[in-house]
């Protein structure tokens, strides 16, 4: 997922056509980009700044990546709408000056972190021992992944911005509007929290820790705040500038928008109220809150929100062990306002959907193309890829042959597509490698073969005879027709509600095909069974039926 570094590698007349279609395109990145176009009409400027935020208190997870990927899609859509005449920047901002509040579950050397609670993340020792601090370690992990995807972005560190004075002018605005900000924040807080709340968090000069303490005095003219040291009871006065203080996160968010001139930032649905509060604070500071939308959260296999500190759900590295970066980008593109499970079982569907969208793209008109996810994933330049089989099919071939040998899968593929190889089909070669890993880790351990009942035994015997009557090189369509003909007379598998079904010629229900996968492959479901048999082989499929009827498959499981 990369962006063009200059304008767009298309002729001027085509760029104009893209702009015309984009102005009414229904794809959500264009809907978001049009909000920015309207924003510029209200307040013209020669640069638009996109921002994504990252809290490096835990290791980066897919949700963090998703925010950058989605924002990049909106940025590209905006460039199309403006014909790339307005400069754009994307900042990946790390809140690495936050104090460490708790020890993450998924890191080593927890005792080391326990002793560093309260220190800014860029002062917390790195439990992995590879960087000067935990914050820098997690920042590096994030940047390495974003770089691997080819994102165009600028990385910014809260620590550097506070210490360098980049935020000083806006911090003084916060201090000058102290009472107004308190009026905005206090109604949102519990009574106990409100009693000691202040937008400023002093960094203790004695311990280096970020303190959550009541502010007993503030002086806008002097640019200072005062507090009582909770351990020594000493009254301490600090400037709010130069990194001596940081802000609580909602005022900090608003301050950053104003200081940097952020025009667009999306956030998770759980932050809707926080966005509203920060927008009010930004307005109080004389700024214009950015455009954006609230995306739905990702859930793990138990339906719980994924968390950096818990390390639940899928990690970035885990997804890329079993599938391509493009499939991950598709997962991020699809339905961002709907909640989705983010676990291993979503991978095969996203891999296959990606290649299906890619296959449709060349034959689509521009309206359809701008609604095709691959246009957004590849910044308007989807590759041309010949993918003769699906990822699900490869998984079923591995399951049927119970193999983790890529060579065995290539043998089946060569029967289906003579001459196919890693050299002729490099993307297919990647998919074969992913399929073997996925089969080993998730399919093989979870295969559960079902013993056929009396009706199923008779149906399988009839299917065996029907397959025996077909030529060895029968097409997938001919095999699929035979499958229907076997099931149609069997009452259990009849579907009278199917399109075109009649009592004389009923349709065939999905139960028949699910039976085949459950009994023959130990899987709940699979792709078109006729296509599977075509690639796997009629003789090999008949051998599976024989084993199922002899009880060998269920016995082996």
């Amino acid at each position: 997922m990369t962006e063009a570094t200059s304008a767009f590698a298309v002729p001027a007349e085509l760029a104009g056509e893209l702009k015309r279609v984009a102005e009414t395109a229904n794809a959500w990145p264009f809907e978001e980009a049009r909000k920015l176009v309207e924003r510029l009409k209200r307040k013209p400027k020669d640069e638009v700044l996109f921002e994504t935020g990252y809290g490096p208190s835990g290791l980066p997870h897919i949700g963090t990546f998703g925010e950058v990927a989605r924002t990049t899609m909106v940025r590209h859509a905006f460039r199309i709408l403006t014909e790339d005449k307005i400069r754009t920047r994307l900042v990946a901002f790390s809140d690495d000056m936050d104090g460490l509040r708790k020890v993450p579950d998924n890191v080593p050397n927890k005792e080391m972190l326990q002793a560093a609670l309260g220190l800014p993340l860029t002062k917390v020792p790195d439990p992995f021992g590879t960087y000067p601090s935990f914050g820098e370690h997690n920042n590096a992990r994030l940047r390495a992944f974003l770089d691997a995807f080819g994102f165009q972005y600028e990385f910014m560190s809260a620590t550097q911005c506070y210490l360098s004075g980049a935020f000083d002018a806006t911090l003084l605005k916060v201090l000058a509007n102290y009472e107004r900000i308190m009026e905005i924040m206090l109604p949102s807080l519990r009574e106990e929290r409100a009693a000691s709340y202040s937008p400023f968090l002093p960094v203790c000069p004695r311990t280096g820790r970020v303190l959550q303490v009541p502010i007993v005095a503030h002086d806008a003219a002097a640019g200072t705040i005062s507090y009582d040291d909770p351990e020594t009871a000493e009254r301490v006065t600090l400037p709010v500038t130069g990194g001596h203080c940081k802000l609580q996160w909602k005022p900090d968010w608003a301050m950053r928008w104003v200081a940097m001139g952020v025009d667009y930032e999306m956030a998770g649905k759980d932050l809707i109220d926080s966005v509203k509060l920060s927008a009010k604070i930004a307005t109080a500071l004389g700024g214009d809150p950015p455009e954006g939308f609230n995306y739905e959260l990702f859930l793990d296999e138990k339906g719980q929100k994924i968390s950096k500190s818990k390390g639940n759900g899928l990690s970035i590295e885990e997804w890329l062990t079993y599938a391509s970066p493009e499939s991950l980008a598709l997962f991020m593109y699809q339905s961002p306002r709907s909640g989705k499970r983010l676990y291993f079982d979503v991978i095969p569907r996203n891999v296959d959907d990606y290649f299906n969208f890619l296959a449709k793209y060349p034959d689509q008109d521009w309206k359809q193309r701008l609604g095709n996810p691959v246009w957004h994933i590849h910044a308007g330049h989807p590759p041309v890829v010949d993918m003769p089989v699906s990822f699900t099919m490869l998984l079923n071939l591995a399951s049927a042959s119970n193999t983790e040998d890529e060579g065995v899968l290539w043998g089946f593929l060569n029967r289906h597509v003579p001459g196919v190889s890693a050299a002729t089909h490099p993307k297919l070669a990647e998919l074969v490698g992913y399929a073997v890993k996925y089969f080993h880790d998730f399919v093989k351990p979870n295969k559960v073969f079902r013993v056929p009942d009396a009706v199923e035994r008779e149906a399988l015997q009839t299917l065996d005879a029907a397959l025996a009557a077909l030529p060895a090189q029968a097409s997938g369509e001919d095999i699929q027709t035979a499958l229907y003909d076997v099931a149609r007379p069997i009452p259990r598998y009849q579907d009278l509600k199917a399109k075109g079904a009649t009592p004389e010629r009923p349709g065939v229900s999905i139960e028949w095909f699910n039976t085949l996968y459950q009994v023959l492959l130990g899987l709940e479901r699979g792709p078109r069974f006729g296509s599977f048999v075509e690639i796997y082989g009629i003789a090999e499929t008949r051998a599976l039926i024989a084993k199922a009827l002899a009880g060998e498959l269920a016995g082996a499981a």
Side-chain angles (χ1 to χ4, degrees):
M1 179 169 174
T2 57
E3 290 186 89
T5 54
S6 58
F8 294 101
V10 293
E13 62 272 17
L14 181 54
E17 172 69 4
L18 285 178
K19 180 178 183 295
R20 183 187 65 79
V21 177
E23 286 172 345
T24 58
N26 293 327
W28 67 262
F30 284 113
E31 293 177 351
E32 292 300 298
R34 285 195 288 268
K35 295 191 313 192
L36 280 169
V37 171
E38 292 303 312
R39 179 186 179 91
L40 289 185
K41 290 179 181 178
R42 298 192 305 267
K43 292 188 176 182
K45 56 189 297 193
D46 56 9
E47 177 183 276
V48 168
L49 181 63
F50 296 81
E51 184 187 35
T52 64
Y54 167 56
S57 58
L59 303 180
H61 62 60
I62 285 182
T64 310
F65 159 75
E67 195 167 300
V68 180
R70 288 167 171 168
T71 304
T72 296
M73 293 173 186
V74 177
R75 180 187 182 190
H76 181 247
F78 176 79
R79 293 175 67 186
I80 292 294
L81 285 171
T82 57
E83 297 181 276
D84 215 21
K85 294 176 180 176
I86 298 175
R87 185 175 179 235
T88 62
R89 295 165 55 213
L90 169 58
V91 168
F93 192 94
S94 173
D95 293 310
D96 56 14
M97 198 171 163
D98 287 349
L100 180 65
R101 299 302 170 199
K102 64 178 182 178
V103 178
D105 297 330
N106 56 341
V107 298
N109 298 314
K110 292 183 174 62
E111 299 81 4
M112 176 191 298
L113 296 189
Q114 187 68 36
L117 289 177
L119 288 176
L121 291 165
T122 44
K123 296 295 183 181
V124 174
D126 178 14
F128 296 90
T130 54
Y131 286 87
S133 71
F134 188 40
E136 289 166 281
H137 174 274
N138 292 339
N139 287 342
R141 289 281 296 271
L142 175 70
R143 295 180 68 177
F145 189 72
L146 298 182
D147 290 344
F149 267 81
F151 288 116
Q152 288 184 353
Y153 71 99
E154 301 169 31
F155 179 81
M156 292 184 68
S157 157
T159 299
Q160 293 174 0
C161 288
Y162 272 98
L163 294 180
S164 69
F167 287 162
D168 281 358
T170 314
L171 288 168
L172 291 172
K173 283 186 181 180
V174 174
L175 187 60
N177 290 275
Y178 190 96
E179 286 80 9
R180 178 72 189 106
I181 293 171
M182 290 290 282
E183 289 174 2
I184 294 169
M185 287 300 305
L186 290 180
S188 70
L189 303 173
R190 296 189 305 272
E191 184 177 351
E192 181 181 353
R193 177 94 166 103
S196 62
Y197 182 84
S198 166
F200 287 96
L201 299 173
V203 179
C204 179
R206 183 173 55 82
T207 65
R209 283 175 162 75
V210 179
L211 301 177
Q212 295 211 32
V213 292
I215 300 302
V216 297
H218 60 278
D219 186 336
T224 61
I225 52 100
S226 299
Y227 69 95
D228 292 331
D229 188 307
E231 295 181 1
T232 67
E234 176 188 1
R235 178 66 51 91
V236 180
T237 299
L238 293 176
V240 299
T241 54
H244 295 284
C245 296
K246 76 172 300 293
L247 295 179
Q248 298 268 12
W249 80 270
K250 295 182 185 72
D252 184 87
W253 206 4
M255 179 274 298
R256 196 162 75 225
W257 289 343
V258 174
M260 296 166 56
V262 176
D263 295 292
Y264 188 88
E265 181 166 4
M266 60 180 67
K269 190 175 181 180
D270 58 334
L271 298 181
I272 289 176
D273 291 340
S274 299
V275 170
K276 292 177 180 178
L277 286 171
S278 295
K280 289 180 180 179
I281 295 172
T283 301
L285 297 177
D288 190 10
E291 307 298 323
F293 78 95
N294 295 101
Y295 54 82
E296 189 53 87
L297 306 177
F298 295 132
L299 308 175
D300 66 12
E301 77 278 17
K302 297 178 182 177
Q304 298 179 342
K305 187 184 82 166
I306 62 171
S307 162
K308 291 190 296 292
S309 60
K310 290 181 181 178
N312 58 335
L314 272 178
S315 72
I316 291 167
E317 293 83 0
E318 284 170 332
W319 185 294
L320 295 184
T321 298
Y322 305 107
S324 66
E326 295 87 359
S327 64
L328 175 56
L330 175 64
F331 182 82
M332 296 304 166
Y333 175 87
Q334 300 276 52
S335 305
R337 293 181 177 88
S338 300
K340 295 185 289 186
R341 288 178 69 256
L342 178 55
Y343 204 59
F344 295 101
D345 55 5
V346 307
I347 290 177
R349 173 67 179 272
N350 280 274
V351 173
D352 286 339
D353 283 352
Y354 167 75
F355 286 108
N356 288 336
F357 283 124
L358 205 60
K360 293 175 182 177
Y361 184 83
D363 298 324
Q364 293 178 323
D365 59 29
W366 277 111
K367 181 178 180 180
Q368 294 170 319
R369 286 182 173 186
L370 296 193
N372 189 323
V374 298
W375 187 90
H376 299 273
I377 291 169
H378 294 285
H381 299 285
V384 177
V385 176
D386 176 19
M387 187 57 65
V389 298
S390 68
F391 187 54
T392 306
M393 179 67 76
L394 290 173
L395 292 176
N396 280 277
L397 290 172
S399 185
S401 54
N402 204 39
T403 186
E404 298 169 34
D405 184 348
E406 294 185 20
V408 173
L409 296 187
W410 281 110
F412 291 125
L413 293 173
N414 272 286
R415 175 188 296 164
H416 178 60
V417 186
V420 69
S421 67
T424 62
H425 290 71
K427 278 293 181 184
L428 176 58
E430 289 181 13
L431 229 54
V432 169
Y434 289 136
V436 167
K437 294 174 186 174
Y438 193 94
F439 169 72
H440 176 271
D441 290 346
F442 301 109
V443 178
K444 188 176 181 178
N446 295 303
K447 290 174 68 170
V448 179
F449 290 92
R450 189 162 59 74
V451 176
D453 62 23
V455 172
E456 293 164 341
R457 288 184 64 84
E458 185 175 350
L460 287 171
Q461 289 167 348
T462 305
L463 175 59
D464 180 63
L467 292 176
L470 291 173
Q473 301 302 318
S475 69
E477 285 302 317
D478 289 341
I479 297 169
Q480 192 74 11
T481 298
L483 289 164
Y484 280 115
D485 290 342
V486 167
R488 210 180 303 277
I490 304 173
R492 177 185 292 183
Y493 302 128
Q494 291 175 349
D495 182 4
L496 294 175
K497 295 181 180 179
K499 184 178 180 180
T502 65
E504 296 73 26
R505 187 176 172 79
V508 175
S509 74
I510 191 68
E511 184 179 351
W512 165 234
F513 298 100
N514 288 343
T515 295
L516 294 175
Y517 278 102
Q518 292 163 11
V519 172
L520 300 181
L521 297 183
L523 305 174
E524 282 299 310
R525 58 188 60 86
R528 190 174 174 85
F529 201 79
S531 301
F532 164 75
V533 175
E534 179 186 17
I535 300 174
Y536 185 59
I538 289 177
E540 287 80 359
T541 304
R542 292 187 64 206
L544 279 179
I545 293 173
K547 288 182 178 180
L549 294 174
E552 295 177 18
L553 296 180

